[in-house]
Amino acid sequence: MTDPAPPTDSAPSPAATTIARTVQHSLEAERRDLPTQAELERRTRELRYREAVDQRWLRLGVGAIVFLLSAGWLAADIVLTLAAGWGELGGRPFKLDSTVIVAFLTTSTATVIGLFLVFLRWLYPQVTPPS
């Protein structure tokens, strides 16, 4: 037995015409939605502005954190120095070897200065001019 031949009517089915119209409509909509050069430039300026504002807020926040961390660290240096000089801390006797005090003050000062340098180089990057 052979399979019967498919129907020969050339009229497309209603589903096929609906799909074809939908595809055609979508293609036309995409063509209409292509942005112009002026629109692309406006969007680029808007994105650059948003990036600059976001970067400003980020740098402001990080700057505040670096400042508070450095201020706390230097306050600890002052408290340690005063406690070592007076010989008590919080009403209790306090005694540290002078080499420990010098090492702590030296490393903490170097750390605070380094922290500020890293932050300032990030805040104000050196921009090399294009060649």
Side-chain angles (χ1 to χ4, degrees):
M1 247 168 72
T2 60
D3 290 330
T8 56
D9 62 346
S10 60
S13 68
T17 56
T18 303
I19 292 172
R21 276 186 291 168
T22 304
V23 168
Q24 187 63 31
H25 177 70
S26 297
L27 288 174
E28 290 172 5
E30 282 186 23
R31 286 188 197 111
R32 280 193 309 258
D33 290 344
L34 287 176
T36 63
Q37 186 64 27
E39 178 68 17
L40 289 174
E41 289 174 8
R42 186 190 66 76
R43 287 182 186 175
T44 302
R45 281 193 311 270
E46 181 180 323
L47 288 174
R48 285 184 182 158
Y49 175 76
R50 284 185 191 170
E51 180 184 14
V53 169
D54 290 346
Q55 203 169 55
R56 179 180 175 269
W57 283 110
L58 176 66
R59 288 178 175 176
L60 186 65
V62 171
I65 291 169
V66 167
F67 175 77
L68 291 174
L69 181 64
S70 300
W73 207 307
L74 293 176
D77 283 352
I78 292 170
V79 167
L80 176 71
T81 304
L82 292 176
W86 285 330
E88 68 176 52
L89 179 64
R92 298 186 186 141
F94 183 79
K95 177 78 174 125
L96 280 179
D97 191 36
S98 61
T99 56
V100 173
I101 294 172
V102 169
F104 179 75
L105 293 176
T106 304
T107 57
S108 64
T109 303
T111 302
V112 168
I113 290 171
L115 189 63
F116 265 115
L117 286 176
V118 167
F119 174 69
L120 289 175
R121 286 183 188 222
W122 175 66
L123 186 61
Y124 302 107
Q126 295 176 352
V127 179
T128 57
S131 341

